[in-house]
Amino acid sequence: MQTTKLYEILSSYNRFWNTGSIEAGIRRDILPACLGQLDSREVIVLKGVRRCGKSTLMAQVIRELLARNVQPTSILRVNLEEPLFSSEYTVELLEQIYRTYRERVQPEGKCWLFMDEVQNVPGWESWVRGRSETEDIKIFVTGSSSQMLSREIGTKLTGRHVSFEVYPLSFQEFLRFNSLEVGTELDYTARKATVRKSFNDYLKYGGFPEVVLKESTDDKELLLKNYFEDLLYRDIVTRYEIRDVANLRNLAVYLLTNVAKHTSITKLKNNFSISQDKTENYVSAIMESYLLFQLQMFSYSLKSTMRAGFKPYAIDTGLRNRIAFAFSEDMGWLVENVVFCHLKRHHEEVYYHSNGSDTDFVVKEGMKITKRIQVWYEDVSVTSIPDRELACFQKPMDGHEAAESILVTNDYEDVINTGAAMVQCIPAAKFLLGLGQDIP
């Protein structure tokens, strides 16, 4: 590409070189963790599902750099999904971009390099590693999760990168995007009716930032449909060169429809009359795209865990509702889904437990189970908790007697002594805001 044309493209993405400011949207909760890495030498990798806000998060980091009086021309932002780059996705393109920037904009001094959708360039890991080791440069990269989870990051950037998973909006962020801050129990009590309505909207339309900011229901649903198509075709079909798109799509829709319900590779194979290998490969591809997650059973035996199957959970309930064959009685499953995503954000190891009676979620920290969480979501008029919902708390897990026990409810709030555990009953909206208990 001609240097003059390349410079024009870079200038269009870096208007802050002249203005000294950048539009960066509403603050995301993960931003402080990213800013905490500004002075490190590691490459920062932001990975997650398409349209979850990775590019905006990078803009927020740039905004902070500008606020700290970093020279605007010391910052270079590149969108590698730029159509004019599409015929030249090579390491040579990255080198030409960087060389043009150094020659035309910032010849000397430290550089802050932000690259969006870097997975489009084969071999980007080697280029990034080389530049970060030989020059005074801090690099941030983003990419769609299926690409960013490649083994190349592990082998070529080992010990030289810090990864952050970016999700659609949490419920706290969802409220912020709707101009509502709820940081204390007093805030929650004062705005309870508004929070509950917002929670129902959150369950229905999810937390993709652009969807949340749309006012029209039709616009929200159109965006969600487009997101699913992009995920399916760009991050799964194209990447894995899948030809049997019909079965892949049917499998994805089936898993989205049956969130929080136990399944297995064998069951899926039989349902769709496809081979074991194909089923495993399709499920793996769907999970790597961040469209869905697998929740596995807690067991000290790896063999038992593998044999037990898994429960699927969607990255976003709005996306799930738009695509799945949904029914009115799905409300309890949706609440369980958002509780899972909340736990996934804050804890590395989350499982379900089955020991006569199932526990929806157990949180493992180190060698210990520290939290047991059950979701019971009934109409607010129902105040009598079924025995089956408390059964999992009525006997301790071996070696984990001290685990905190929580029942997530619709609106019921109390502390129940089951004889084996003191169970905190916490409304779902309050639980997701980190109020009334010590889960963040």
Side-chain angles (χ1 to χ4, degrees), residues 76-354:
L76 172 62
R77 184 181 187 182
V78 182
N79 179 6
L80 290 164
E81 283 201 322
E82 162 59 49
L84 293 174
F85 293 155
S86 61
S87 62
E88 302 183 42
Y89 284 144
T90 62
V91 169
E92 287 72 25
L93 173 64
L94 297 182
E95 184 61 26
Q96 188 182 10
I97 288 171
Y98 184 69
R99 188 166 58 248
T100 299
Y101 164 74
R102 281 303 196 183
E103 291 173 355
R104 304 284 292 268
V105 183
Q106 185 79 1
E108 298 178 348
K110 182 170 183 175
C111 166
W112 305 81
L113 175 58
F114 295 82
M115 295 193 292
D116 251 333
E117 302 299 341
V118 72
Q119 80 283 340
N120 287 323
V121 181
W124 68 268
E125 301 92 344
S126 297
W127 186 88
V128 164
R129 176 178 173 177
R131 282 298 182 185
S132 63
E133 287 182 343
T134 59
E135 299 196 25
D136 189 9
I137 184 171
K138 179 68 178 182
I139 300 177
F140 283 73
V141 300
T142 78
S144 302
S145 57
S146 60
Q147 301 279 359
M148 300 304 288
L149 287 173
S150 69
R151 294 185 182 88
E152 292 298 296
I153 289 183
T155 56
K156 296 184 179 178
L157 293 182
T158 298
R160 298 174 177 84
H161 78 286
V162 175
S163 291
F164 293 100
E165 288 187 328
V166 185
Y167 294 84
L169 303 181
S170 67
F171 184 50
Q172 182 75 267
E173 292 172 322
F174 178 88
L175 293 179
R176 186 179 305 136
F177 270 56
N178 285 282
S179 303
L180 185 65
E181 289 281 358
V182 180
T184 66
E185 292 214 37
L186 186 61
D187 291 339
Y188 174 81
T189 302
R191 301 175 173 86
K192 188 173 179 179
T194 303
V195 171
R196 286 182 59 80
K197 180 185 181 304
S198 295
F199 180 65
N200 288 331
D201 290 341
Y202 183 61
L203 289 177
K204 185 172 183 180
Y205 295 113
F208 280 103
E210 288 183 50
V211 174
V212 173
L213 293 173
K214 291 291 185 184
E215 295 185 4
S216 158
T217 297
D218 289 344
D219 288 344
K220 290 177 185 289
E221 293 189 348
L222 179 60
L223 266 182
L224 288 167
K225 182 179 184 299
N226 290 340
Y227 288 177
F228 176 73
E229 298 297 330
D230 276 354
L231 270 166
L232 188 72
Y233 289 100
R234 298 175 71 176
D235 288 341
I236 303 178
V237 172
T238 301
R239 172 170 168 76
Y240 296 98
E241 299 179 346
I242 291 174
R243 296 180 180 178
D244 188 2
V245 178
N247 266 323
L248 173 71
R249 186 187 190 96
N250 289 340
L251 179 58
V253 171
Y254 177 86
L255 291 170
L256 287 169
T257 301
N258 291 281
V259 293
K261 300 176 185 178
H262 185 272
T263 191
S264 66
I265 295 296
T266 300
K267 181 177 179 181
L268 295 172
K269 177 191 72 172
N270 293 336
N271 281 354
F272 292 94
S273 301
I274 55 179
S275 70
Q276 177 92 5
D277 286 348
K278 182 178 283 190
T279 305
E280 290 178 350
N281 290 337
Y282 284 7
V283 170
S284 176
I286 288 169
M287 300 301 167
E288 285 193 12
S289 74
Y290 273 114
L291 176 60
L292 287 138
F293 296 101
Q294 283 180 310
L295 182 69
Q296 295 186 311
M297 185 186 76
F298 174 77
S299 174
Y300 291 108
S301 165
L302 179 60
K303 184 181 290 186
S304 296
T305 298
M306 299 305 292
R307 287 177 175 174
F310 64 93
K311 294 182 180 181
Y313 289 91
I315 184 68
D316 180 80
T317 52
L319 188 64
R320 180 262 176 194
N321 292 338
R322 181 62 183 85
I323 300 304
F325 295 104
F327 305 98
S328 58
E329 60 265 27
D330 287 354
M331 185 65 75
W333 303 118
L334 294 179
V335 175
E336 190 174 326
N337 200 119
V338 298
V339 168
F340 168 79
C341 289
H342 175 79
L343 295 171
K344 184 77 174 170
R345 283 183 176 90
H346 295 289
H347 301 282
E348 290 187 10
E349 294 189 74
V350 183
Y351 304 90
Y352 75 91
H353 186 247
S354 184

